[in-house]
Every structure is written in C-alpha cells, then in structure tokens.
Amino acid sequence: MTQRRSWCGRSEQSSSASSCGSIGATFPGTYVENARIKAVAAARASGKPAFADDSGLVVDALGGEPGIHSARWAGPDKDFRAAMNRIQTLLIERGAKTPEQRRAHFIAALCLAWPDGHVEDFEGHVDGVAVWPPRGDKGFGYDPLFRPDGFDITFGQMNADEKRGLPPQGRALSHRARAFMKLAETCLSRH
C-alpha cells in the first residue's frame, strides 16, 4: 500500500509495514518497540515513510499476559474463543472472581518511520475488566471478553461507531482509536 500523505508535517509517499513483508513477524519487546521495529524495517526496505502497529490485551491478574503475545495465545488458527477460555481458566486458578481482581487493558502502539531515521511513536490504552462469559459477536479477538470502564457492555457488543468513532461524533473509545487520536493531535499541532 502506497499513499501520498502529509504525516506530522512531512509530505511524502508512504508504505505500510505489511506491504514490505514484516507483518506477522515476532518481536520480543513492548508494543511501542514492536511497532517501531516493523515501521523502521518497512521504511528502510521501501525507501518511503512507513506505518506499523502492535496491540494486545493485558490482564493484571495474569502478570500482564497475554500482552504482546495476544495473537499467539489464539494460535495459528486465530481461535480467540480458545484464548478467552484460557484466560478464564487462569483467572479462576488464581481466584480472580471480582471485577477488581479481573482488571484488564487494551493497548495499541502506532509508529511512523521515515527512511532518514525519523520516528514518531504513539500509544493508546483503554482500561476495563475481563468478563465471563464473553458477550457479543462484534469486533475482533478478545473484544467479547473486555468491558471498558464506565460501560455495561463489552467491546464485542458495541458497534464500530460506539467503539472506534472519532470526535466529534464518537469518543475514540478503542485503544487503537486513542492512539490514532494522539497521532492526529501531534501532526495537527505542527501545522
């Protein structure tokens, strides 16, 4: 994917990390570090600015797992129902039954990298609770398991506008939308 855009005050053609073959690679660091590795590799390979992300679910009672391994917990078949069952089993084994004991967070990191080495990182997160049983069939991955603070429904029960809608119509509730809002605020403040 190549597009001409003005990114954070720099107008150039851009490339996504997935178009340069780095998507799906495994990295050992934080969300920001993983997104940066992918974006920098894509920028170097393409000679154009590149964009990459990394995201996942962090459950406090599980020591931050599945964390950066969120996709791996679903296995090669992307069976997130099995991954949610695994989280529930581990939470029960640890005696985590109340909402306070089941605190969870969705985290997303976005990175823009230029071939000249300039890098911009953005991170968004949403706090909430890992509920059981999973609720809803909307969204992706762990959405049916995650109820954001201040809501009675899970991400899996929310429509796209409720979850990802950007201001002024929406609230940028999702972790990825919040990271994009930070990117936009940074870019717009430079114009």
Side-chain angles (χ1 to χ4, degrees):
M1 168 201 267
T2 301
Q3 299 178 350
R4 179 165 290 286
R5 292 269 167 90
S6 178
W7 295 106
C8 297
R10 305 176 99 174
S11 180
E12 303 179 42
Q13 283 192 319
S14 64
S15 183
S16 69
S18 62
S19 69
C20 294
S22 65
I23 197 72
T26 303
F27 305 104
T30 66
Y31 294 108
V32 169
E33 291 168 337
N34 292 348
R36 182 179 281 221
I37 288 167
K38 292 186 277 188
V40 167
R44 286 184 183 148
S46 69
K48 300 174 186 169
F51 177 86
D53 75 322
D54 194 26
S55 64
L57 178 69
V58 171
V59 180
D60 293 348
L62 303 183
E65 293 292 330
I68 61 170
H69 307 290
S70 292
R72 264 184 263 157
W73 275 41
D77 295 327
K78 304 289 184 223
D79 185 351
F80 283 96
R81 179 63 61 179
M84 289 186 277
N85 285 330
R86 180 177 174 192
I87 289 170
Q88 175 64 5
T89 298
L90 292 170
L91 286 171
I92 294 300
E93 287 174 2
R94 288 164 175 77
K97 296 177 183 174
T98 67
E100 295 77 24
Q101 297 169 322
R102 298 172 68 92
R103 298 295 301 156
H105 321 273
F106 265 126
I107 299 174
L110 307 174
C111 181
L112 283 171
W114 285 261
D116 66 4
H118 181 78
V119 175
E120 299 274 349
D121 298 309
F122 306 91
E123 190 172 83
H125 73 277
V126 178
D127 300 321
V129 175
V131 300
W132 196 260
R135 301 174 196 146
D137 58 2
K138 298 176 183 148
F140 174 76
Y142 298 100
D143 285 357
L145 183 77
F146 184 79
R147 186 183 71 223
D149 288 346
F151 289 83
D152 294 327
I153 61 175
T154 68
F155 272 180
Q157 294 169 297
M158 293 181 183
N159 67 41
D161 289 337
E162 290 172 309
K163 182 179 166 192
R164 295 184 295 271
L166 299 178
Q169 293 87 3
R171 296 195 273 184
L173 182 58
S174 81
H175 51 301
R176 192 164 284 110
R178 289 180 179 190
F180 272 111
M181 287 298 300
K182 289 180 181 181
L183 180 149
E185 289 166 1
T186 298
C187 293
L188 292 173
S189 71
R190 294 184 184 169
H191 285 278

